[in-house]
Amino acid sequence: SCTEIKQLTWIGCGLFILSWICFYFGQTLLFSYILGFAVIQLALALVHTSNQSIIFRLRPDAKSRINAIYMTAYFTGGACGSALGIFSWNHGGWTMTCIAGISLVFACILFSLLDNYLIYKNENTAQIARLQTKITYQSMHTSKIHPKTISLMLIILGLPFY
């Protein structure tokens, strides 16, 4: 379900943060580096699986095309991340590389929050539209107020939710 996918995404983001913290301490501790590597692999698997679960629901009849686009974007992002890692290493060493990595995680979190907000906003908009339709229909049959007046009032009241 969508709730479970969101939970997996948030768990993955948390594991990404944990892995970059482990990587930071991995500069001097081999165990921390190994733990960071294991945790980042788990986080990648969680987020990748939940992303594919989301995109395959978009159009089940076009899975191969959607997967091709997703994997192209995935590998392009990986190449850009590798370039950022090299740039960070050359300009700030291990610490700058870890900062760049955790910055990408926070960008992922920001996009997830934006996605959740847009989903919430769309659900609210749909609920308001259903309410407007229901009240307008009821008012046409039980009230002396003109239906267009009621619709206008509902639109004005609904503006803060848009």
Side-chain angles (χ1 to χ4, degrees):
S1 74
C2 289
T3 305
E4 292 167 345
I5 293 171
K6 285 180 187 179
Q7 289 173 348
L8 284 177
T9 301
W10 287 113
I11 290 170
C13 288
L15 289 173
F16 274 127
I17 291 172
L18 178 64
S19 70
W20 281 106
I21 292 169
C22 289
F23 279 139
Y24 176 76
F25 292 109
Q27 181 176 4
T28 55
L29 300 170
L30 180 61
F31 178 74
S32 182
Y33 181 81
I34 293 169
L35 183 63
F37 183 77
V39 171
I40 205 166
Q41 293 302 316
L42 178 61
L44 282 168
L46 282 174
V47 172
H48 181 64
T49 304
S50 64
N51 285 344
Q52 283 191 318
S53 177
I54 291 168
I55 64 166
F56 288 153
R57 289 182 183 182
L58 296 175
R59 287 215 25 217
D61 60 323
K63 279 187 180 183
S64 60
R65 286 176 283 171
I66 290 174
N67 192 48
I69 293 167
Y70 172 74
M71 291 309 294
T72 301
Y74 187 83
F75 283 114
T76 302
C80 291
S82 295
L84 178 64
I86 292 168
F87 179 83
S88 300
W89 180 263
N90 288 334
H91 290 85
W94 189 260
T95 302
M96 183 63 78
T97 304
C98 291
I99 290 171
I102 206 160
S103 296
L104 291 175
V105 174
F106 285 123
C108 175
I109 291 170
L110 180 68
F111 282 115
S112 293
L113 288 172
L114 178 64
D115 186 48
N116 286 341
Y117 169 74
L118 292 174
I119 289 170
Y120 174 76
K121 182 179 172 184
N122 287 340
E123 287 173 357
N124 252 0
T125 304
Q127 287 175 351
I128 290 170
R130 284 193 298 274
L131 180 64
Q132 286 174 340
T133 304
K134 182 178 179 181
I135 291 175
T136 303
Y137 177 77
Q138 287 176 350
S139 67
M140 286 190 304
H141 299 292
T142 60
S143 163
K144 305 264 189 231
I145 300 173
H146 195 274
K148 288 184 180 178
T149 306
I150 292 174
S151 294
L152 182 62
M153 289 172 27
L154 289 172
I155 289 170
I156 291 170
L157 292 174
L159 284 178
F161 298 105
Y162 292 111

